[in-house]
Amino acid sequence: MIPFVKAHACGNDFLIIDESLAQRRHADLARKLCARNTSVGADGIEFLDRTLNGELFLRLFNADGSEAELSGNGTRCVAAWLASSEGKQDIALGTHGGLRTCHVVESADPVYLIESEMGVPRVMQRTIVIPDVGNVPGAMVNVGNPHFVLFVDTEDFSAHGYTWQDLGAQISTSPLFPHGTNVEFVRVLSPSEIAFRIFERGCGPTTSSGTGTCASSAAAMVLRGVDRELTAIAEGGPQRTVWQSNDVVMRLTGPAEIICRGEVNGL
């Protein structure tokens, strides 16, 4: 039996498991335990490793068993758990996408409002070609992991004659992105507000994404001239981004909630 914690950030849900329990079965455990009909269910697993010198490191595995560089929402869920279980207020978490620091702004256990430093986004305008779709203009954005951001005007976020879910699946697995990419469909609602939908690499449509929120915000700031402080609204709810200039760290503020603790059969 494997002890776990389950938490979510705007509906984007994760299991938190001690790295020492993985026994090199990270991918198998992710596929098994993230299955929503036959196990606990989640978008991914954050494996938390505590080094001898006290540093913390996360490895993220998506529901399909693939490993990703990091998750902004997953990192925040882990920070919420450490705030709940150990009383931490400022948490530094190493990831394969770089160090992420989290500060607990408000706590009302089991819900925590957390501000995270998300690194310096890199935005590159790019038109890609997708078979049977044609030219798809957008932006490649890196926030420690890869994203492709499209701007749309449709209320249902459809684009190029496809639903956002179908087009997102085609772009996410395109050979143009050998390691896959996350895909966001963004509507600019006002200079201070955007709405977006997420097709997440290794998982599919999700209600929210921390890095997706940052990628969507960065692309809108650089390419659409919106405010440098934004409310970004996904299906799971709003988050707040602040990016004062292109060469500084973006800050992301949003909630995370501890759902439950338990044990699950890992065999």
Side-chain angles (χ1 to χ4, degrees):
M1 301 300 290
I2 295 178
F4 71 90
V5 174
K6 184 171 182 178
H8 81 93
C10 299
N12 193 195
D13 56 344
F14 298 87
L15 305 182
I16 304 167
I17 294 176
D18 193 283
E19 167 68 23
S20 64
L21 302 176
Q23 300 294 308
R24 299 183 180 179
R25 296 179 55 231
H26 303 79
D28 288 342
L29 287 173
R31 285 189 289 266
K32 177 179 173 63
L33 304 186
C34 291
R36 296 196 179 275
N37 297 113
T38 57
S39 191
V40 182
D43 290 328
I45 298 180
E46 293 280 7
F47 291 95
L48 175 60
D49 188 22
R50 300 170 184 266
T51 64
L52 293 176
N53 62 4
E55 293 180 350
L56 303 171
F57 192 87
L58 295 177
R59 291 186 68 185
L60 168 64
F61 282 78
N62 296 313
D64 69 351
S66 61
E67 186 172 10
E69 296 85 354
L70 81 160
S71 164
N73 281 351
T75 299
R76 198 162 73 240
C77 285
V78 174
W81 167 239
L82 293 172
S84 174
S85 61
E86 301 177 21
K88 292 183 180 293
Q89 292 293 113
D90 293 283
I91 302 119
L93 294 161
T95 76
H96 286 305
L99 183 69
R100 295 294 180 263
T101 58
C102 301
H103 172 70
V104 178
V105 179
E106 297 176 6
S107 59
D109 192 50
V111 180
Y112 295 82
L113 184 68
I114 295 173
E115 181 186 71
S116 305
E117 291 189 354
M118 296 296 291
V120 180
R122 300 195 302 273
V123 180
M124 182 175 67
Q125 194 165 10
R126 175 81 180 271
T127 295
I128 61 175
V129 180
I130 300 297
D132 300 323
V133 179
N135 291 338
V136 179
M140 295 173 63
V141 185
N142 191 294
V143 288
N145 61 353
H147 295 260
F148 187 80
V149 178
L150 296 77
F151 292 97
V152 300
D153 297 318
T154 51
E155 290 190 6
D156 63 0
F157 295 88
S158 60
H160 301 276
Y162 291 84
T163 65
W164 67 266
Q165 296 94 331
D166 288 342
L167 184 55
Q170 293 183 64
I171 295 172
S172 181
T173 58
S174 167
L176 294 170
F177 305 101
H179 302 291
T181 189
N182 303 288
V183 187
E184 284 80 36
F185 297 77
V186 178
R187 290 174 56 206
V188 176
L189 304 180
S190 75
S192 61
E193 191 172 74
I194 62 173
F196 67 105
R197 295 293 181 266
I198 312 115
F199 191 96
E200 194 160 277
R201 174 186 60 169
C203 182
T206 58
T207 61
S208 183
S209 167
T211 59
T213 299
C214 293
S216 299
S217 298
M221 291 171 184
V222 172
L223 301 177
R224 292 294 186 270
V226 300
D227 295 346
R228 288 284 173 159
E229 297 188 16
L230 274 183
T231 298
I233 306 168
E235 290 179 290
Q239 298 189 54
R240 188 76 175 163
T241 54
V242 178
W243 193 29
Q244 297 296 353
S245 62
N246 291 4
D247 59 350
V248 301
V249 168
M250 176 176 277
R251 300 196 306 276
L252 170 71
T253 302
E257 179 177 5
I258 309 301
I259 300 171
C260 64
R261 299 175 63 182
E263 291 184 333
V264 61
N265 186 351
L267 296 178

